[in-house]
Amino acid sequence: EPEVTQTPSHQVTQMGQEVILRCVPISNHLYFYWYRQILGQKVEFLVSFYNNEISEKSEIFDDQFSVERPDGSNFTLKIRSTKLEDSAMYFCASSTTGGPQHFGDGTRLSIL
Amino acid sequence: EDKVVQSPLSLVVHEGDTVTLNCSYEVTNFRSLLWYKQEKKAPTFLFMLTSSGIEKKSGRLSSILDKKELFSILNITATQTGDSAVYLCAVESGGSNYKLTFGKGTLLTVNP
């Protein structure tokens, strides 16, 4: 069964450094999303992406965050200057029109 | 602000028991309600509900939506230790953006 894949599974970075989290959505899906889950808290929406542009973003998704679909398969989340509070599990998801969102296994981001 | 409330937050049962998990919501522009199972990593899709009163079933799991009272239940019959997980309820809302708002989840522990 097709699945969403994310790399790396764990990223450790110094505060202030840039990180790029990578995702390969399911191949026939058109809608792409990033969510995060801080340890012990709810899964929170960050951003949705369709037709090569951001459809919606949450208050969390400030100027330090950006998303890109650099080629036909990858979907990336960049955090420009990481802060301690960016430490979380980041999930990528994708869906077809009107279909359920399917999630990847996540990238655990640890900021030191 | 969209809100999804799950109850109970945790539940411990014995193998063979039947459990009912609850999810109530308040969202603008409701599109669908989804249930996911989260073990160690990715939320795994279980059900997507869009219409009231139509039960969806998959093996020992079933779910139903009440759009008038704004809630859904997830039933698991004849529970097994492999059912132990966090069960997440999420509501899809918005115009064309399909973002998900999650509840805190119900931690189900099934003891042998």
Side-chain angles (χ1 to χ4, degrees):
Chain A
E1 187 175 325
E3 56 183 31
V4 177
T5 56
Q6 290 186 242
T7 55
S9 57
H10 191 191
Q11 173 87 47
V12 181
T13 302
Q14 292 288 331
M15 189 170 59
Q17 295 296 304
E18 173 183 287
V19 294
I20 297 176
L21 311 182
R22 302 181 192 279
C23 169
V24 179
I26 295 171
S27 63
N28 65 332
H29 286 187
L30 301 176
Y31 296 83
F32 314 115
Y33 313 84
W34 284 100
Y35 293 82
R36 80 171 185 190
Q37 187 174 31
I38 293 171
L39 192 62
Q41 297 187 23
K42 293 184 190 185
V43 176
E44 301 173 287
F45 169 78
L46 291 178
V47 66
S48 58
F49 191 87
Y50 170 71
N51 200 26
N52 283 317
E53 60 182 29
I54 290 174
S55 306
E56 186 172 353
K57 56 186 181 179
S58 71
E59 291 174 357
I60 303 166
F61 195 89
D62 62 21
D63 292 344
Q64 294 301 311
F65 291 85
S66 62
V67 289
E68 195 177 36
R69 188 156 161 81
D71 53 42
S73 59
N74 290 286
F75 179 51
T76 62
L77 174 69
K78 183 194 290 187
I79 309 175
R80 265 181 272 281
S81 178
T82 50
K83 304 188 278 276
L84 293 175
E85 54 264 39
D86 293 328
S87 295
M89 181 74 90
Y90 287 81
F91 291 108
C92 173
S94 68
S95 70
T96 58
T97 304
Q101 293 182 28
H102 292 272
F103 286 76
D105 277 346
T107 293
R108 179 163 297 287
L109 178 63
S110 300
I111 307 300
L112 305 178
Chain B
E1 183 184 330
D2 295 346
K3 192 191 299 187
V4 177
V5 178
Q6 292 186 246
S7 64
L9 291 181
S10 67
L11 190 54
V12 180
V13 301
H14 292 289
E15 263 190 324
D17 288 351
T18 293
V19 298
T20 298
L21 310 183
N22 304 294
C23 176
S24 63
Y25 62 91
E26 291 176 31
V27 299
T28 52
N29 295 322
F30 174 88
R31 295 179 64 90
S32 65
L33 185 144
L34 297 92
W35 286 96
Y36 289 87
K37 178 182 182 181
Q38 187 176 29
E39 295 176 89
K40 292 188 177 165
K41 293 185 177 178
T44 304
F45 171 71
L46 295 174
F47 296 112
M48 183 176 191
L49 304 154
T50 54
S51 302
S52 275
I54 299 173
E55 185 182 51
K56 293 222 172 175
K57 284 186 71 101
S58 177
R60 295 176 294 103
L61 277 66
S62 64
S63 183
I64 197 160
L65 173 67
D66 185 329
K67 288 169 75 172
K68 184 179 173 188
E69 299 297 328
L70 307 183
F71 79 90
S72 174
I73 59 172
L74 175 68
N75 281 321
I76 308 175
T77 58
T79 51
Q80 302 171 356
T81 55
D83 295 327
S84 296
V86 175
Y87 289 84
L88 298 172
C89 174
V91 175
E92 184 181 50
S93 62
S96 58
N97 301 319
Y98 305 118
K99 73 171 188 180
L100 294 179
T101 301
F102 282 84
K104 289 184 177 180
T106 294
L107 173 61
L108 175 64
T109 303
V110 182
N111 290 325

